[in-house]
Amino acid sequence: MDLTKTTANGRVAAYELLLHALNHEHTKDNYERHVLVLEKWCRETIEGLFICDLTYVVEVLQIIRERIALHPVLFTPVMVLLLKNCAQPLLESKANERMRPIGMDNIKSLYAELAMLWQDGSICMRTECARCFRVIVNGGKDPSILKADQVEWKSDGHTAQVTDISFIQGLLRESGALTAIVDEFRKSVDELLAEKARYLKLSTTLSELQTRNATSQEEDSDDDVSKTGNNSNRADRNDASGASTPNTAMGGSFENDLVDKIQSMKGDLIALQELIHVLIDLCLKLSTDTKNAASMCGMFVCDIAIKLLRDAATESPREPKVPICVEILWNCLESYLNQSMYYSNTLQSGLTSIDVMDFDVAIRSLRDVFLQLLMEGYRLADKDVRNEVVVLLTLIANFPGSIPYFLESGLLGDLVTYSCVGEAGKEGWGFFSCPLAKFRNFVSAFDVDIQLKKELWMLLSDILKFDDPDMIMCVASSPLVAVMLNYLEQTGQPGNTGIVNESTSLNGTDAGSQRSSTRPSMTLVDVPNFSDQNQTDDQFVEESEIDDSSVQMAAPAQVRELQILSIAFLAENAHRLMGEFMRIDGPIRIIEIILRYGSSSSTNNRSIIFHSLVLLNRCLLTSNVVKPKLVERKAIEVFLIQFESSEDESIRAQAARVMSIMCIDSVECQTQMRKLKGIRALTSTLSSYADSRRPNMGLNPASTDTEMESSGAGEGNMGDLSILAVAVLDCLWNSVAGNRKNEARFAQQEGIDALLDVIEVAPLLIRVQALRLLGDLLNNFRLVAFALAWRSAKTMRSAGQLFAHAWVEEENRLNSERNNGIICNLWDPLGSHRWPTDRPTPMAQSEISGNASTSTQSVSGVSVSSLVSKLTSAVASNRNQTTGGATGGGGGNAGLPPEVNANLLKLDVRGIIANALALLGLLNEFNNESPSVTQTLHIPEVDENGEEEDVNFSLADGPGKEPGGVKDDSLTPSDLQVISMAARYGVLREGQWWQQIFDELHSEGIVPVEADAYLISQKLEKLFEAARSVQFEQMELKDVAHKQKQAQEEIFIGHIIQQKNQQLKSEFLKKKAQNAKVHLTTKVKLTS
């Protein structure tokens, strides 16, 4: 009967009967009957096995495996039939039966039992087992059968096939079958290589023996018997020939044995080759699953693939196994490295620190294959495999342990050679690897050869990231950087590809001469417009004769791709190759490239400009010789043009960053910024940033949670962190702060107002930066009046109120909230003032970048607990913004590294706020300092001729030479409570440090000497006195606030009473008027 069409109970009975026939004591030795029964069972289950019956199938497999060990001839054919049935898709009689735990356990048990067949099995059985697994991982389809010959399975409506490949591969991994497959692959490859070595040795021995016998026969044939010879000589020859006959017979027998042995080894080699063929297909299919590929990489399958690749490439680089091994390596390494996407940086570095292969053998083998394909590979398929080998090397370069072998094996020289020899020519560098491959094999305009060049550049960039001095020297001494700059200076005209023939050098002359010596000297104003189509190519690139017979010309799109990759490579590595980059006038040529492409709106051109600015940024930070060259060429104007004209925020941010670096300790650059109206451009950018955002701080620091929710403070479109705003603030810091003329111009352009607007709406990182910049600017007492005169356009807050609210928000972020605005813990006035029953929890780093409504953080030894108010929810939102992603694209958002986030959250901004309040003179009321007043501010103005002239601005109520005694009537008692703490912030902070020292000494059991103990007690006493003074002042201010609130309530109630009295009076007058009217009517009636 057909078990696939039998009910579940019928199948159970049939399996029990089958097991009874195989295990019964009276029939267990009747092996011929067992074979017949098993063959019949295999015919009945030819369409597949049910998942619910797999427990019986596993028992049958175990019995057959035992029988094969005793009678392999009888039971091996039966096992082959059963393996074919097991390879068919499994059948489920119930919906989603495969997803149930019992069903999954049954399937995994089957796969584990099938994998046991590789243990102590013959080559034939191992091959059949490999075929079975190959069909299983393909969802039940045999890849060796044509699709036209495959019969489609038809369901009867009650059963379904399990053909989900990802599900099957997952079970293979969990069952341990994947490990068994990799072990069998390793074992089979080792056997194949050993068998090949023995076969080669025997073949060599046989060849030498046959050569020796042939030589002996030739010598015998030369000694012909002379017809005139005497009989004695003939007898002697007969004796000699008779004596040699046994040796000849012995040699022939040995030779025949060798031939027989070699023939038998040929059969074994063919069987092993077939097994390897099936296993390599199986591993290739398994490596398509990401998790399986990563697991296989951890099982060192890459070493096995490298062995097989090296063996196959020894025969021929076009061996079909070569691309398959390369693909397996690619899949495994890529999946292994992609695991780092789900882990932190620590675990990612841990993954790459593991040696997943023998890097020495792997790199040397891949180098041999790469060079073989370069020398012999002219077909498109050969070039594809060659490019894949370079991709493999790029993946291997992610492992730090592999980097030394790139240099030791000589591969680095080969990579540098073939990355630029096509453009530089054979004579362009004296250290090109020899012999060189034919240029037609790697230098052409075909996409596959262009792709090779791009992959080589990317691989070299990955290698240079490790900053190995020998590798940097190898790349820096080559013409690679000059070749890339030549690509960037292409005019886009047809026929100018930069590719030359084999005998042409880079410059057409001596390759060692400087690039700028043969190029016409040129200033920035001499650079022709990129849109000018009449310019000649030799203004930027020395033309070389192109051998059109061997090299086709690259298309403009291909040149553009190489230009983008060139500038990306230089942006990443030019600061490492600074000597060569400066030798060929790299910075000046980059400025020319920025001018060339600056007027274009193309996406590719914007990418070139962006990476050019990044390149100059890194070079300025790395070397001190770049800045003087740029200052000499007045490059500030170029960067300002890009900042003002570009619509891409990332380009504007990079331009601002480069200008900021150039203005550091450079009065000349700061003067250029002022004369070129750069301060105005930066200020307008800050104003635009502030105008597009809503206030990011609570409007009333004394509000309760309910009041904050009703007012909606802290809500709004806060967006992501803008890297443009960060760069602009940094540029203003370096170009304006400290330069009195620039500070005056900044104030004239309403820069102080823009800075305060930014503080009101910005997230935490930008707010801290703006506060620090404002603190430096307010050291110029002439600018204090501008800050005091500021009023927010959104909330009408003054600068004092803004700083007070920022203080309260910082207290909420640091978990240092004051109850009713009053400090309670006099020994820790800057810490938490909550009741001790509130238990804080430590903050996880992952919560910094997530939804941090319940985030906590330890700051300055103070533990931080949950944030519950609406104000602190806004702070948590700011915390998310500090981790917003920065892309180099048009979004202009910045992704901060985790260490920056951690340092930012540990920062206590209250010191910066206290400094700003002190510079505004708002703290002097608590310090009892006398005020002074000034009226005039001198601001230099630049006329049309570029000369400076003074312009006077009169301020009615400005602070004096030393600002003090300023009274802000808009400050509420709650704001004054903050200012009371800010006035003594230095004493409170210093006292807390001494308190921490005292606690540490006490916890460690250390008794200080008398002088130190006296000093500590004196500092703590000073802390206590300052905290007590602050507490008294805050309590008084609370009473003032309470009285003000009562007064407001009395006024409110008075207004209500007044309105009620007016209403009663109006009702009385109305009623009186009605009564008078009625009386008059009655009187008229009586008169009539």
Side-chain angles (χ1 to χ4, degrees), residues 56-67:
Y56 298 104
V57 176
V58 171
E59 292 185 27
V60 173
L61 280 171
Q62 292 173 351
I63 294 172
I64 297 177
R65 195 156 52 85
E66 295 174 357
R67 299 289 194 274

Side-chain angles (χ1 to χ4, degrees), residues 875-915:
V875 178
S877 179
N878 291 346
R879 196 174 292 172
N880 293 342
Q881 296 169 27
T882 62
T883 58
T887 60
N893 300 326
L896 299 178
E899 58 272 12
V900 176
N901 285 327
N903 294 332
L904 179 63
L905 293 176
K906 292 178 181 178
L907 179 65
D908 190 348
V909 189
R910 289 178 291 183
I912 305 174
I913 299 173
N915 179 53

Side-chain angles (χ1 to χ4, degrees), residues 1 216 381 449 953:
M1 62 179 176
S216 177
D449 289 328
F953 288 85

